[in-house]
Amino acid sequence: MRSIWNGAISFGLVSIPIKLVNATESHAISFRQIHTEDGGRIRYRKFCELEDREVSGAEIGKAYEDADGTMIPISDDDLAHLPIPTARTIDIVAFVPAERIDPLQMGAAYYLAAGGAAAAKPYTLLREALKRSNKVAIAKYALRGRERLGMLRVVGEAIAMHGLLWPDEVRAPEGVAPETDVTVRDKELDLADALMDTLGEVDLADLHDEYQVALEEVIAAKAAGEEPPEMPAPAPGGKVLDLMAALENSVRAAKESRGAEEAEHAEVTALPRGRSTRAAPKETGGRKTTAAAKKTAAKKTTAAAGKTAKSAQAKKTAAKPAAKSAERAAAKKTTAKKTTTKKSTASRKRTA
């Protein structure tokens, strides 16, 4: 990576030669201004409003505009003599816990690369000291003509520096929060917690800029002389009239979405990253996810079990009257035999 600034870290009496490199990069697509009739580039020329003529870069300097419009010229020589002791030095002034730093202050991020073999030992010393202390270093440095505030922390095996705004550059959030008194019920908080739990966590590496992907498709289609692809319409917005209903619907939708994603990951092999084409619409007709199939099988099993139980109960119920009838018939038959036996005995006695 190309360095944008060379200097040293001042750590007490220890000086560590370093090179400053950008830690981030922008993938945003930029556009040029053109003349819509013929496609010619639109360019800006710098004119002096007093002489009404174009001037070259060598004729252009700096000035501070006073409140009454007066221009006060400031030369590069004036700026060079400003008392900035951190002109080529990142001067560490303190070590503080990371939670002391307000994220609102954090700005551009840089990597600090060791400047040569001689810097390896002190660089490693500072890195390991930051690791063991669980603190970050607060430093002052000068970049692009002004003194700035920075925060040094360990990223992997490297030292990174975040540019910080000065405390008086961060606005207080006055007039931002709602001024009306609002009561939030416990049930609403419970639903909000349920929605947060359902959405769960995410690997930030899996997130991407869908707008840029769509824009790349439009540019590719136009370059090929084709019609740009139709993009899905954005979801309609509106006022939330029933907060509870909105939360309940959100939880339900999040659960369904999470279930669909899990089933998709179980059945579909993910495409390799780095492709700028949009994913094809998911085919759902004629297929059931694993979760859905299990749910359907469970329903069928439960229904069959219920049907079997009902059938057995019906047979048992039907068998009860038949058993009672058989018992009554057997009792009648026994009674009839006893009566016949008695009559036969009485007849033999009379005959004798």
Side-chain angles (χ1 to χ4, degrees):
M1 291 184 281
R2 185 174 63 87
S3 64
I4 61 173
W5 185 91
N6 295 338
I9 299 174
S10 175
F11 178 29
L13 297 178
V14 178
S15 181
I16 310 172
I18 56 95
K19 297 179 180 180
L20 194 70
V21 298
N22 286 317
T24 61
E25 59 185 1
S26 174
H27 295 156
I29 297 175
S30 59
F31 295 99
R32 303 289 188 183
Q33 289 185 331
I34 63 170
H35 187 200
T36 55
E37 291 187 3
D38 55 20
R41 282 280 306 276
I42 300 297
R43 300 181 183 274
Y44 292 94
R45 297 179 179 180
K46 298 179 179 180
F47 277 74
C48 173
E49 63 179 16
L50 297 180
E51 298 183 12
D52 193 23
R53 70 176 182 87
E54 186 177 355
V55 295
S56 63
E59 300 176 85
I60 300 175
K62 301 181 183 71
Y64 174 79
E65 185 176 3
D66 207 351
D68 60 359
T70 302
M71 294 295 179
I72 304 173
I74 302 294
S75 67
D76 291 339
D77 189 56
D78 295 329
L79 299 175
H81 289 83
L82 287 176
I84 304 179
T86 54
R88 283 292 171 185
T89 305
I90 298 175
D91 186 17
I92 296 177
V93 297
F95 292 87
V96 301
E99 55 268 19
R100 286 269 302 277
I101 306 301
D102 189 342
L104 289 174
Q105 288 185 254
M106 298 179 68
Y110 308 94
Y111 287 130
L112 305 180
K121 181 65 178 286
Y123 184 98
T124 304
L125 172 64
L126 176 58
R127 183 192 66 201
E128 295 305 312
L130 288 171
K131 281 184 180 180
R132 192 167 71 172
S133 67
N134 289 322
K135 293 182 177 180
V136 296
I138 303 300
K140 286 184 176 182
Y141 66 102
L143 183 64
R144 300 187 180 97
R146 53 172 294 202
E147 189 174 54
R148 302 168 189 266
L149 194 62
M151 179 191 75
L152 278 64
R153 68 184 183 95
V154 178
V155 177
E157 297 301 314
I159 299 175
M161 181 174 72
H162 296 268
L164 297 179
L165 296 175
W166 297 98
D168 60 356
E169 293 180 313
V170 179
R171 293 178 174 179
E174 297 178 356
V176 177
E179 297 180 357
T180 56
D181 293 333
V182 177
T183 301
V184 178
R185 295 177 294 171
D186 290 340
K187 189 173 182 181
E188 293 170 337
L189 283 174
D190 291 341
L191 281 172
D193 290 341
L195 178 57
M196 293 168 63
D197 293 339
T198 304
L199 292 175
E201 298 181 358
V202 65
D203 185 353
L204 296 181
D206 293 335
L207 302 179
H208 65 280
D209 187 348
E210 296 184 7
Y211 174 82
Q212 180 172 328
V213 173
L215 185 57
E216 290 175 354
E217 291 186 359
V218 171
I219 293 173
K222 298 279 284 186
E226 303 172 355
E227 286 294 323
E230 291 187 6
M231 300 300 169
K239 296 181 179 180
V240 178
L241 300 179
D242 189 339
L243 181 59
M244 289 294 293
L247 286 170
E248 290 172 351
N249 291 336
S250 298
V251 172
R252 188 181 305 109
K255 287 182 178 179
E256 293 175 355
S257 176
R258 179 56 58 88
E261 288 178 2
E262 291 176 355
E264 179 185 351
H265 287 307
E267 294 185 2
V268 181
T269 303
L271 293 174
R273 292 184 186 175
R275 300 183 64 181
S276 61
T277 55
R278 296 175 65 86
K282 302 180 183 66
E283 296 181 5
T284 56
R287 288 194 321 182
K288 292 185 178 179
T289 62
T290 304
K294 290 181 178 179
K295 189 174 181 182
T296 304
K299 287 184 176 179
K300 289 182 177 179
T301 304
T302 303
K307 188 174 180 182
T308 304
K310 289 181 179 179
S311 177
Q313 183 64 28
K315 290 180 179 179
K316 188 176 180 181
T317 304
K320 286 183 179 179
K324 289 183 179 180
S325 299
E327 290 176 359
R328 287 197 295 269
K332 289 181 179 179
K333 188 174 182 181
T334 303
T335 304
K337 285 183 178 179
K338 289 181 179 180
T339 303
T340 305
T341 304
K342 288 180 180 180
K343 288 181 179 179
S344 299
T345 304
S347 176
R348 284 196 298 268
K349 286 181 179 180
R350 284 195 299 268
T351 306

